[in-house]
Amino acid sequence: MLNIWGVILYLRLPWITAQAGIGLTWLIILMSVIVTSITGLSISAISTNGKVKSGGTYFLISRSLGPELGGSIGLIFAFANAVAVAMHTVGFAETVRDLLIEYNAVIVDPVNDIRIIGVITVTVLLLISLAGMEWEAKAQIVFFFVIMVSFVSYIVGTIMPPSEEKQSKGFFSYQGSIFLENIVPNWRGETGSFFGMFSIFFPSATGILAGANISGDLKDPAVAIPKGTLMAIFWTTVSYLAISASIGSCVLRDASGIVNDTIPLNDTDCEGLSCQFGWDFSECRQNETCYYGLANHYQAMSMVSAFSPLITAGIFAATLSSALACLVSAPKVFQCLCKDKLYPFIGFFGKGYGKNNEPIRGYLLAFIISIAFILIAELNTIAPIISNFFLCSYALINFSCFHASITNSPGWRPSFRYYSKWTSLFGAVVSVVIMFLLTWWAAIIAVAIIFILLGYVTYKKPDVNWGSSVQAGAYKMALTYSVGLTGVQEHVKNFRPQCLVLTGPPNFRPALVDFVSSITKNTSLMICGNVVTDSEKAPDSEGHLRWLNTRKVRSFYSVIQERTLRVGAKSLMQVSGLGRLKPNTVVLGYKSDWQKVPGQCLEEYVGIIK
């Protein structure tokens, strides 16, 4: 919950409500929740399918979908978390900057103040993270209590009769006329569109993987992750909907904040809803100079609350707790990725220190990335960048759950039953569609990065075996096609030489292997057969397959044990292949030492032809 509540809740939700109206803001919240809820169900299914180790989201996806997709999404998800640190820290710095302006204590200028405060803050958070999980857990409990108190202060504030100063800033407590005006949208500025608001709001729903990301530190991840994730989504959704509806029923979109803007007696020129309450904000509204109101003042929740410092404390708690959670989870995900050695040059960051194997080098890398984005110093610019990366992660999480279900993998037996493979597929498709609706060029860049990373791992073929659903899918597809091929009648136009090559150990007769490979051209069946007599030791099948792969020969390797070469060759001819994929050609090497070998040995060899 702490990771879901963040900077957007306090500093942007009232502003989004002013832009989109209460109706569309609820739609934005519910759309976000649909994506995160489906992802939460998929995460719950994956996390209850076996032992969950450290590495969180990356571990879950890589062990389900394999190293290709797992590696690419692990890298992107770790990067997204590092950028999220910057987003929450900028929100914190923005609030501190506003307080400094209020008390005329500006450091340099409004933009550079955010950068200075942000860099100092993220440095302090790094030191807390390096102190270990125990310190972080204690800090989170304090943050949670502060946020709860700030919510109480806000709710009490909406009920209290407004003072004259608050009225001048557009707050008139619960009014039906304000609710009716604010229920419809009023788009303003460059980001003034439905998907513009969605891209800014969506990062506030992205904390759902905080539990999964620290899976290695949980006592019972299989129970804790589903329960914690789904309950957190439910309660945070209730809070978002309630705050949007309540503040949209209390505060006007535009207000001057000038106490003298009351309507004089007998004034008939006043325009707008504020006139009903005895205030005239028409001048600042026409000149677009209104500083207060939902559409102009990011600190609207602070203005409404019974005691504004509590809201400021809530902002500090929400932003710092979310930043701290992201700063802890990003290095842990990256550390797990480094240990798997899927990509070059990143192994340096995988080294752990201390009894908890803390990724100190990973912390420093996340720290550097977050500082780079803090220097942007604009929350509305950072938020859409994160939205695309998180949507990408959610799409692959849902797809991995769907893929594991559809392949009927024997290893897919989650104890969490409240999910559907079709729901997971729907979640994956919706995530991709929203990515392109938000920022099509950023979505293309994100997809291109994934394909590049995926292509690299596919080309390198890392020596890992995680029992992924890709393996299960390949088996199921091969079985389906092999059975389907048995019903296909042979035709002269489709004839292929399907060769059983009596090579013995393939590396003993490389010329014969290359000769037959040049005939099959990797488009026809080739089986390298080896007859092992009773007196010989069992061959190294794995080593022979590696030799064939190194030589880029697409061939099966089949070994059979019999008392003589001739009986073994006969057995190989009878049992090799499957269905239509059976050899129709036997290839032998010419026996070059036929003049020297004993007669019985020569008879055995010629007998194979007979």
Side-chain angles (χ1 to χ4, degrees), residues 225-280:
I225 291 173
K227 192 174 178 181
T229 303
L230 297 175
M231 288 292 284
I233 290 171
F234 174 77
W235 287 114
T236 52
T237 303
V238 170
S239 67
Y240 285 142
L241 294 173
I243 289 169
S244 174
S246 59
I247 204 160
S249 305
C250 295
V251 186
L252 294 172
R253 281 191 170 100
D254 296 295
S256 64
I258 301 170
V259 181
N260 295 329
D261 275 354
T262 52
I263 302 175
L265 291 171
N266 304 321
D267 185 357
T268 56
D269 296 332
C270 181
E271 294 179 2
L273 185 60
S274 61
C275 304
Q276 294 180 19
F277 310 111
W279 292 82
D280 185 5

Side-chain angles (χ1 to χ4, degrees), residues 505-584:
N507 56 337
F508 282 21
R509 293 180 176 81
L512 183 62
V513 170
D514 291 343
F515 172 66
V516 178
S517 177
S518 67
I519 294 171
T520 59
K521 289 286 185 183
N522 291 344
T523 60
S524 184
L525 178 68
M526 176 178 172
I527 301 173
C528 291
N530 184 13
V531 178
V532 179
T533 57
D534 294 338
S535 59
E536 297 176 25
K537 66 175 184 178
D540 176 20
S541 298
E542 291 293 325
H544 294 319
L545 280 171
R546 278 197 301 273
W547 184 87
L548 289 167
N549 290 332
T550 304
R551 213 170 179 84
K552 295 183 179 177
V553 174
R554 186 182 289 180
S555 172
F556 294 100
Y557 173 72
S558 183
V559 62
I560 197 164
Q561 192 156 11
E562 283 289 356
R563 63 182 186 277
T564 65
L565 177 66
R566 184 175 179 180
V567 173
K570 184 179 180 182
S571 299
L572 269 177
M573 292 176 205
Q574 290 176 332
V575 302
S576 292
L578 179 71
R580 290 282 183 198
L581 295 172
K582 272 186 171 295
N584 54 24

Side-chain angles (χ1 to χ4, degrees), residues 502 564-570 573 586 588 591 599-610:
L502 300 179
T564 65
L565 177 66
R566 184 175 179 180
V567 173
K570 184 179 180 182
M573 292 176 205
V586 177
L588 291 87
K591 196 164 182 64
Q600 185 186 357
C601 200
L602 191 60
E603 189 179 336
E604 283 277 310
Y605 199 77
V606 175
I608 293 171
I609 301 170
K610 293 183 178 178

